[in-house]
Amino acid sequence: MKKLTRPLHVVISGAGVGGLCLAQGLRARGVEVSVYETDPTPDSRLQGYRLRIDEFGRKALAACLPERLYALVEATSNRLYMPRGVSYDEQLGELAAHRPMGTPLDPARASMVVNRRTLRQILLTGLRDTVRFGRTVAGYETAGDQVTVRFSDGGTVTADVFVIADGVNSRARQQRLPEAEVLCTGLRGIYGHMALDAEALSWIPPELLGGSRPVLGPHRRTLALGVFQPRTPIPEAVRRYAPEAELDPVPDYLKWTLVAPADGYPVPERELFTADPLRLHALAVEMTDGWHPVLRRMVAQAHRESTFALSIRAVPLPGRWEPSRITLLGDCIHATTPVGGVGANTALRDAALLSSRLGDAAERRLDPVAAVAAYEDAMRGYAHEAVQGSLRGAETVFRARRLTQV
């Protein structure tokens, strides 16, 4: 097998959860890594609220992060829980319970909930000199055993391995795998959140505060509920585990996502994505008219200025492709729908597996293409299952038209 003649250098396009976790894992293995991100700053746009981290995501984070940073992730997350599939109608009548109440907690299989922004800030800890913000990857060229990554500003950087991890709209993914097509589910979501303070806890039923609680309303409208209540206040957790981490304090909150088909909104789709946050919040209030007063109050009391809308899409994996020095991670190659929260977990799983494979190659001075091939062979299996499972879930929870590939 061909040997490396120099230290391995990896370039990552995208500083999302997956790309940053990969960077942490590679740094832990002594691999030189550079990350480039289009956003001008880490907090330049809203990217969602809470994330469920399942057993695979927890293992991946533990494998990639220094021990103190993983302890910080746990301390700033909700307590471990066993997911229970409960759904309600718009008057809060229980429709289904796929897992019985009182299921014993299995720490090996349990999930935790993190705040997305907090997790990203933890993943950035120690990487401030590694991540370059405001740099958009436009494409790449290969020559021999080097990859030259091109930026939209005309700059370039060379690497031994280029990892594309910059999301569904990735231009580099379109170059590497043009056959990987983005699937539009026909669903759109409005996202909001409200403070979960003592006053709110006095009127929200406790059964709505555990795990994820979808409410299946009329006209194929679904309101997905979830809470963020960290085990330890974030400032205290930082002092205790990683004083160098720069984390914003986050009060407890309840988030909701109102999902409906594009033609189920009372405005044209174009207006949905050009509306300001106040207009989006007013739409959510209008679309839940006649629902249970508790649900109406949750929507009405949301922080109006942070309401935003997203199109719900997926990227089913194409067939097998030949491995090279360019590989892919996360949503750009296997985006999922929000059902089950598997998207972030699959990206984290990618990061742990790829950092392990590339770390071994770097340590043994082996050609990294073999490491990429091993990663991609394994990734295709679990990622295909994740995408298809999320599409089946969208058919059930969001009443989407048939989406699952056969």
Side-chain angles (χ1 to χ4, degrees), residues 324-399:
S324 72
R325 290 174 178 269
I326 300 96
T327 190
L328 310 99
L329 175 153
D331 282 356
C332 73
I333 186 59
H334 50 61
T336 66
T337 73
V339 178
V342 296
N345 289 292
T346 310
L348 292 172
R349 193 171 179 179
D350 291 348
L353 178 60
L354 184 55
S355 63
S356 174
R357 293 286 187 263
L358 289 176
D360 287 345
E363 183 179 350
R364 299 164 61 190
R365 296 279 179 165
L366 298 178
D367 186 340
V369 176
V372 169
Y375 156 71
E376 290 180 345
D377 281 345
M379 179 266 286
R380 271 187 285 265
Y382 64 74
H384 176 79
E385 182 179 340
V387 173
Q388 297 306 310
S390 82
L391 292 174
R392 288 191 295 271
E395 293 169 7
T396 301
V397 176
F398 297 146
R399 277 78 54 83

Side-chain angles (χ1 to χ4, degrees), residues 168-354:
V168 172
N169 298 318
S170 172
R171 293 164 67 180
R173 190 277 316 286
Q174 293 168 10
Q175 179 181 347
R176 178 69 179 93
L177 290 177
E179 64 271 29
E181 298 182 355
V182 178
L183 171 65
C184 180
T185 66
L187 300 168
R188 308 293 182 261
I190 298 178
Y191 290 69
H193 78 296
M194 58 163 283
L196 196 61
D197 52 21
E199 190 272 337
L201 290 172
S202 71
W203 56 265
I204 297 177
E207 59 267 23
L208 297 182
L209 299 177
S212 181
R213 297 291 184 261
V215 177
L216 280 58
H219 312 297
R220 291 171 60 207
R221 294 172 182 172
T222 300
L223 189 70
L225 307 173
V227 302
F228 176 66
Q229 294 174 295
R231 310 175 208 187
T232 309
I234 289 176
E236 179 183 336
V238 170
R239 288 193 298 270
R240 184 182 303 175
Y241 296 105
E244 76 277 20
E246 299 178 11
L247 308 189
D248 296 326
V250 181
D252 295 1
Y253 63 80
L254 179 145
K255 76 89 190 175
W256 50 259
T257 308
L258 180 62
V259 177
D263 60 6
Y265 286 86
V267 296
E269 183 173 6
R270 188 174 194 177
E271 183 177 336
L272 182 66
F273 291 105
T274 57
D276 63 31
L278 300 186
R279 175 60 176 145
L280 290 173
H281 180 261
L283 282 173
V285 171
E286 177 184 346
M287 292 173 67
T288 52
D289 184 40
W291 291 31
H292 192 283
V294 164
L295 300 173
R296 294 270 295 158
R297 192 171 178 182
M298 287 177 176
V299 174
Q301 291 191 192
H303 185 257
R304 297 187 301 164
E305 289 78 5
S306 59
T307 312
F308 66 97
L310 285 178
S311 176
I312 296 176
R313 297 176 291 173
V315 179
L317 278 82
R320 181 180 172 81
W321 58 89
E322 285 300 311
S324 72
R325 290 174 178 269
I326 300 96
T327 190
L328 310 99
L329 175 153
D331 282 356
C332 73
I333 186 59
H334 50 61
T336 66
T337 73
V339 178
V342 296
N345 289 292
T346 310
L348 292 172
R349 193 171 179 179
D350 291 348
L353 178 60
L354 184 55

